[in-house]
Amino acid sequence: MYVPFETLPGHSRIWIYQSNRKFSDNEVTEIEEATKDFIADWSAHGQGLEASFKIEYNRFIIIAVNQDVQAATGCSIDASVQFIQSLEQKYQIDLLDKMNVTFKLGEHIAHKTLIEFKKMAKEKAVSANTIVFNNLVNTIDEWQDYWIVPASESWHNRFF
C-alpha cells in the first residue's frame, strides 16, 4: 500500500536506483505514476507492503518499505527489481549497474563508471572532498544523514 514517504519511520528499508542520465520532466511524471501504481499493489506473501518512493535530482529512484508492518521478502524484492528493469527498457536507461558513481561537480551532477571515477581520482580531477551519492545506505535515516557526503566519508574513500 502506498503511503507518503514522509510518514515512513526512519528505520524503513530503502533501495536506491541511480540512472545513467537525468530524466526529463515528462519522464519524471510518467515514472512517478508507474512507481506509485507498482507500490500500491506491491506485496509480500499476500500482504500489502507499506511503502513509498521519491525521485531525487531527476536521476534517483528511492523505494522505501516499512518493515514493521510487513517485511519485504525475496519474491517481493524480485518484483521490485523486475519493475525497475521495465523502467530501464521503456526509458532506455541504466538503473541497476552498481559499478557507476554519481557525484557533484559544482552544481552539476556527474555520472561515471567506477573505472572513470578511479582515473579522475588518480588525476586529481576529483578529491576526498568531492560530494558523492552513497547509494549503499539501507534506511531512511541513513539516507538522510549519509547519502550525500564527501567521498572521504563514503565507500568512495578507497580511491584517495
Side-chain angles (χ1 to χ4, degrees):
M1 110 192 70
Y2 173 83
V3 297
F5 194 89
E6 299 72 28
T7 65
L8 292 171
H11 59 273
S12 296
R13 184 171 179 191
I14 64 166
W15 294 267
I16 300 174
Y17 301 98
Q18 68 181 358
S19 176
N20 59 321
R21 66 168 176 81
K22 187 175 179 180
F23 306 136
S24 72
D25 291 341
N26 286 341
E27 287 173 330
V28 168
T29 300
E30 291 175 9
I31 292 169
E32 284 175 340
E33 288 175 21
T35 306
K36 192 170 185 178
D37 288 346
F38 168 75
I39 287 175
D41 293 331
W42 197 21
S43 64
H45 300 297
Q47 296 292 321
L49 294 172
E50 184 175 281
S52 196
F53 74 98
K54 281 182 118 20
I55 296 179
E56 295 285 333
Y57 298 99
N58 286 28
R59 186 179 284 271
F60 299 92
I61 301 171
I62 302 156
I63 296 177
V65 173
N66 180 355
Q67 301 259 93
D68 293 344
V69 173
Q70 173 67 40
T73 61
C75 291
S76 61
I77 293 168
D78 287 350
S80 68
V81 170
Q82 289 173 0
F83 169 72
I84 293 296
Q85 288 172 327
S86 74
L87 294 177
E88 285 184 317
Q89 291 175 354
K90 181 173 182 177
Y91 296 101
Q92 296 298 297
I93 54 176
D94 181 8
L95 293 165
L96 292 168
D97 190 345
K98 302 294 185 197
M99 298 302 290
N100 294 318
V101 178
T102 305
F103 56 99
K104 289 188 175 184
L105 283 176
E107 289 304 307
H108 177 72
I109 295 178
H111 180 87
K112 301 289 183 190
T113 66
L114 195 55
I115 292 169
E116 291 171 317
F117 187 79
K118 285 164 120 173
K119 183 179 177 191
M120 290 177 75
K122 189 174 185 177
E123 295 171 350
K124 309 249 187 276
V126 292
S127 72
N129 295 322
T130 298
I131 301 299
V132 296
F133 293 87
N134 176 13
N135 297 322
L136 299 181
V137 295
N138 293 306
T139 66
I140 290 175
D141 284 341
E142 288 178 8
W143 171 72
Q144 290 171 331
D145 295 337
Y146 305 111
W147 182 47
I148 303 172
V149 294
S152 62
E153 297 176 23
S154 172
W155 64 269
H156 304 84
N157 67 5
R158 70 183 82 170
F159 305 122
F160 304 100

